[in-house]
Amino acid sequence: MSDYPYNVIQAEYDGTHSYLLEYISKCKSGEILIGHELMLMLDILLTHFDDPEIKVDFEDGHKRIKFIETKCKHFEAPFAGKPFLLELFQKAFVEAIYIFKIYDNEINRWVRLYQDILFLVARKNGKTPLISALCLAEFFCGELGTRILCSSNDYEQADLMFQAIDSMREESKSLEKRTRSNIKGIFFGNPKKPKKTGKFSYKNKGQIKKISAKTGAKEGKNIKVGAVDEVHELKDNTSTMPIRQAVSTQHEPLYIELTTEGVVNDGYLDERLIEARQVLNDELERPRWLIWLYTQDNEQEVWQDEKSWIKSNPGVGVIKKRSFLKKMIDEAKTSKSMRVFVLSKDFNIKQNNATAWLTTEDIVNEQTFDLEDFRSSFAIGAVDLSKSGDLASARIFLMKPGSHKKYTYQKYFIPESKLEQLSKEDRERFKEWIRQDLIRVSPRNENDFSLVTQFFLSLYKDYGIRVYKVGYDKWSAVYWTKEMEECGFDCVRVSQEFGSLSEPMKLVEADLKSNLINYNHHPIDKWCLENTALKLSTKQEIMPVKVQGKEEQKIDGAVTMIIGYRIYIDNRTEFLSLVGR
């Protein structure tokens, strides 16, 4: 069969229609557009039909496809209550898992070829419902005592798959009356008919349960099917290896990893994809590993060719709305954090989780102002005390009535000993900034944080500027906050984590792009912004970190901008009323 021209690959094999062959034929002819990596896997699968050591048996695969389409129903809008009718790419995927058999001399029978599955597809293409339906099909169609484990990096994500399975079970009267569910899992047996015998009675000790990477005691479980969702969040294999070992006692185990791309550097998925691509390129032998990757061939086609989006989104137009993708692309063009998220989650293009935050155009701003223009005004304060032996930053934000623009005045602080540890280039730069009174130096090895207090006091003494609230990070702040409060300042701690910093960081980015932040053309602010990268969480939250390769550079000025914006967001109404007086 592999000798056939690509455009005439037959969808029949020994009189049976094959969804996999139909899919391969349409992909080869160009009717269905896929990426190069999936095409490599399909080429491997095509050779199996001619391999004398591999038996092609459609019974198990088609039985599960029929079960899903006739017994499973969707449970979420807009398809709630409707039959789970599989798309061709989904049928081909299920077929690929089940139809190929090899003879196992150890147990003297034919067994499924593929035991490990890696399924990579962009978000909102139905991957979790599909694998959930497949697990439910395996529960009913598989052998007696089939035990299934749903897992993910956190309990909430693992519960999504478990709840999907349970909801499909409840939607079907025939499945619901043969099973029961409780907080521990899903089990066979109708409580109303405890004495009934047969595969779907209490006699069947099969079960479906859930765990997370944070759950202990994963070793020792004897399961047949292990499904791990969103493996891109895993840092290493400590949570997957026990599951893989737990299925090792089975004659026909099934271990499935389903995921989108992620932003965790050097994480578990990175290692798996390196090996997967080696297998696809015939550089590594893993004959029992089915690698099903929906990926783009390059980033440029995402921006230039809308038709290429189907490569990473096989469900676009049916499961996933094309209008949603267009909206995401439009937002990604104007927001760096959105760009990172969209490329990784919607197009499976790996993104560094510490990528540069702003462009040069965003940062460069030659606007200046005179602090005298804000005499007797109210301000918001922000400090990044950092470690006592490093650079520290303090600033205020000022606004004018009826304007959205923020004017920020700042001062930096550094201990004398730190100057000698700088590179020659940075040392000269810092000495110049000190001469310009942009940095104040503390003697010896530690910052004298009373200089920070004096900075805020001098603003009132010299200009009558009253600081409404001062946001601060946690480093070395105990004695300093006590000193500030004794001087009459209201200090508010801002946690250095995603939940606190994401919203203000996004607003700082938007305001910089719109020229709504006048940082008085301050060279240290510009330098800190250039050194700042964004770290992205799986919840699309961001926080500032140092650009990779610039670990010795400073981002304190950017951090105080974000801290100040946190205080502004939380107190916007009251602060603006003070500004308008």
Side-chain angles (χ1 to χ4, degrees), residues 303-333:
W303 309 104
Q304 299 171 3
D305 184 6
E306 182 181 321
K307 293 180 181 179
S308 76
W309 294 353
I310 197 173
K311 292 181 182 180
S312 50
N313 294 273
V316 69
V318 180
I319 302 172
K320 186 172 184 176
K321 288 185 176 295
R322 188 173 294 274
S323 59
F324 171 81
L325 273 177
K326 289 181 179 179
K327 178 176 178 290
M328 292 296 100
I329 283 291
D330 288 342
E331 291 185 26
K333 291 176 180 178

Side-chain angles (χ1 to χ4, degrees), residues 496-532:
Q496 303 298 288
E497 56 190 19
F498 286 111
S500 298
L501 301 180
S502 182
E503 184 183 10
M505 188 173 179
K506 290 177 181 179
L507 186 54
V508 169
E509 177 184 350
D511 279 359
L512 282 170
K513 289 178 182 292
S514 302
N515 287 320
L516 291 178
I517 298 179
N518 183 337
Y519 58 83
N520 224 10
H521 198 42
H522 198 289
I524 308 181
D525 277 4
K526 179 177 179 293
W527 183 62
C528 288
L529 290 169
E530 290 171 344
N531 295 334
T532 305

Side-chain angles (χ1 to χ4, degrees), residues 487-504:
C487 294
F489 294 100
D490 183 3
C491 296
V492 180
R493 178 179 170 183
V494 176
S495 299
Q496 303 298 288
E497 56 190 19
F498 286 111
S500 298
L501 301 180
S502 182
E503 184 183 10

Side-chain angles (χ1 to χ4, degrees), residues 243-504:
I243 298 174
R244 297 182 71 180
Q245 291 167 358
V247 302
S248 62
T249 61
Q250 300 291 322
H251 294 325
E252 292 188 88
L254 185 59
Y255 173 72
I256 306 173
E257 293 175 337
L258 58 151
T259 188
T260 61
E261 254 296 3
V263 293
V264 175
N265 289 340
D266 301 320
Y268 174 72
L269 180 60
D270 290 331
E271 294 183 12
R272 290 289 277 173
L273 286 175
I274 289 172
E275 291 185 348
R277 284 160 178 147
Q278 288 175 336
V279 172
L280 294 176
N281 290 302
D282 201 24
E283 299 168 0
L284 183 67
E285 189 174 357
R286 295 282 192 276
R288 310 201 70 172
W289 190 12
L290 181 65
I291 301 163
W292 203 272
L293 308 181
Y294 283 107
T295 54
Q296 300 290 142
D297 290 323
N298 55 67
E299 182 180 329
Q300 287 70 29
E301 65 182 2
V302 171
W303 309 104
Q304 299 171 3
D305 184 6
E306 182 181 321
K307 293 180 181 179
S308 76
W309 294 353
I310 197 173
K311 292 181 182 180
S312 50
N313 294 273
V316 69
V318 180
I319 302 172
K320 186 172 184 176
K321 288 185 176 295
R322 188 173 294 274
S323 59
F324 171 81
L325 273 177
K326 289 181 179 179
K327 178 176 178 290
M328 292 296 100
I329 283 291
D330 288 342
E331 291 185 26
K333 291 176 180 178
T334 58
S335 168
K336 186 57 181 287
S337 60
M338 182 61 76
R339 178 189 179 97
V340 171
F341 188 82
V342 167
L343 287 177
S344 62
K345 307 301 288 183
D346 286 310
F347 296 100
N348 282 332
I349 297 174
K350 173 68 178 182
Q351 299 294 294
N352 191 318
N353 72 341
T355 187
W357 176 31
L358 302 165
T359 66
T360 302
E361 290 75 18
D362 298 334
I363 296 169
V364 172
N365 187 332
E366 297 184 359
Q367 300 176 80
T368 60
F369 67 92
D370 190 338
L371 202 57
E372 184 65 41
D373 295 339
F374 291 92
R375 179 169 290 278
S376 301
S377 297
F378 284 91
I380 283 175
V383 298
D384 178 14
L385 298 181
S386 191
K387 297 179 181 178
S388 60
D390 210 339
L391 187 69
S393 171
R395 75 174 61 244
I396 58 168
F397 285 91
L398 301 149
M399 296 182 70
K400 295 179 179 179
S403 172
H404 294 292
K405 181 168 288 189
K406 286 87 174 174
Y407 299 81
T408 180
Y409 179 78
Q410 56 286 94
K411 192 73 70 175
Y412 289 85
F413 308 85
I414 195 169
E416 186 178 29
S417 62
K418 184 67 178 178
L419 293 172
E420 301 305 316
Q421 300 172 21
L422 299 172
S423 67
K424 182 178 179 180
E425 179 183 356
D426 284 344
R427 193 181 308 126
E428 292 303 315
R429 179 186 299 172
F430 270 66
K431 286 181 178 179
E432 178 58 30
W433 289 337
I434 292 169
R435 283 193 290 270
Q436 297 174 20
D437 194 29
L438 303 180
I439 302 178
R440 290 181 182 171
V441 181
S442 298
R444 294 180 290 277
N445 299 320
E446 295 185 0
N447 265 318
D448 180 1
F449 290 139
S450 65
L451 295 177
V452 178
T453 306
Q454 291 174 25
F455 166 74
F456 288 106
L457 288 171
S458 67
L459 290 168
Y460 180 73
K461 179 181 177 181
D462 298 339
Y463 296 95
I465 293 175
R466 290 161 287 181
V467 179
Y468 164 62
K469 290 181 185 292
V470 181
Y472 69 94
D473 68 339
K474 64 183 179 179
W475 283 104
S476 311
V478 177
Y479 297 109
W480 176 79
T481 53
K482 183 178 179 181
E483 179 182 78
M484 286 284 285
E485 288 166 357
E486 288 175 350
C487 294
F489 294 100
D490 183 3
C491 296
V492 180
R493 178 179 170 183
V494 176
S495 299
Q496 303 298 288
E497 56 190 19
F498 286 111
S500 298
L501 301 180
S502 182
E503 184 183 10

Side-chain angles (χ1 to χ4, degrees), residues 150-218:
C150 306
S151 178
S152 189
N153 186 53
D154 58 59
Y155 199 75
E156 182 179 351
Q157 186 66 41
D159 189 56
L160 287 178
M161 187 187 302
F162 179 83
Q163 292 300 331
I165 295 172
D166 198 29
S167 296
M168 289 181 200
R169 180 192 67 86
E170 291 178 333
E171 285 288 330
S172 172
K173 292 182 179 179
S174 61
L175 303 185
E176 195 272 338
K177 72 179 183 180
R178 289 170 173 80
T179 52
R180 65 192 192 278
S181 174
N182 57 39
I183 195 171
K184 293 183 179 180
I186 300 171
F187 308 89
F188 279 111
N190 188 336
K192 296 180 181 179
K193 300 178 180 179
K195 295 183 180 180
K196 187 178 175 72
T197 60
K199 181 179 179 180
F200 304 133
S201 69
Y202 278 78
K203 175 186 177 182
N204 189 343
K205 301 303 178 183
Q207 59 186 30
I208 303 175
K209 291 190 173 183
K210 58 188 171 184
I211 62 171
S212 75
K214 301 176 178 66
T215 306
K218 288 185 278 288

